[in-house]
Amino acid sequence: MTHRLVSVERGGDALAAFKTARRCFMAGERIEMQDLAARIGVSRATLFRWVGSRDELLTEVLWSLAEPALRDAVASATGNGGARVADALGQFAEILTTTEYFRAYLRREPERALRLLTTRAGSLQARMVGTIQDLLSAHLDVDALPLDLPDMAYLVVRIIESFIYADIITGAEPDPVRARQAVATLLRDA
């Protein structure tokens, strides 16, 4: 999958726009396209040509933060098989539930955040499902899974999402411990 910011047609200016947007996001600021265009000294139309819509840019920023966090969680996870996957995803859920700029984004734009993070509206969920498929393939006997690999990866992602975004979905507190427990239960015999 070619992402907008790494497209051959986009130059270093698109990357500068992305980096500025990422810094703003991590500072807890709302990313506004007009403000971002002014910060980097281009027109709003040019910015849109470079990075796409605000939602596309937010998706890229979110993935640029989520992917290394998940990779680090996998690297530091303990156990084997399903227990290792559950530990990694529990650590990842812990990161997402305690990172203030991410929580600020969820409080500031809950509907948009859920749409971009948990639906086909953005590419983030598909990327997460693909990453979880790779994780499951690396640590489990995929032939022993009760569902085929794509469905199992999707189910794992939905479980994690339900505990990370519990405050927005049901009003309950986000709970990374229960996310870990749920994934461990699902993968217990895998």
Side-chain angles (χ1 to χ4, degrees), residues 87-107:
D87 187 47
L89 294 176
Q91 288 183 45
F92 179 66
E94 178 73 26
I95 291 166
L96 293 181
T97 59
T98 60
T99 301
E100 184 49 39
Y101 59 79
F102 183 68
R103 299 313 299 179
Y105 169 63
L106 294 175
R107 285 189 301 273

Side-chain angles (χ1 to χ4, degrees), residues 109-156:
E109 300 183 65
E111 292 84 12
R112 172 172 270 136
L114 281 182
R115 185 171 48 79
L116 294 179
L117 293 163
T118 66
T119 72
R120 294 183 195 190
S123 63
L124 200 127
Q125 187 182 63
R127 292 182 203 182
M128 185 61 73
V129 170
T131 301
I132 298 303
Q133 278 186 257
D134 293 344
L135 180 63
L136 296 174
S137 292
H139 296 284
L140 303 173
D141 175 4
V142 295
D143 293 328
L145 294 173
L147 298 171
D148 67 359
L149 183 59
D151 289 341
M152 183 60 85
Y154 177 76
L155 179 59
V156 168

Side-chain angles (χ1 to χ4, degrees), residues 9 11-12 24 33 39 46 66 74 97 102 118 130 132 134 146-147 158-160 162 165 171 173 176 180 189:
E9 299 152 17
C24 291
M33 299 301 271
R39 282 185 189 200
T46 297
V74 170
T97 59
F102 183 68
T118 66
I132 298 303
D134 293 344
L147 298 171
R158 293 306 274 189
I159 288 169
I160 295 299
S162 68
Y165 310 124
E173 287 298 311
R180 176 184 280 120
D189 296 327

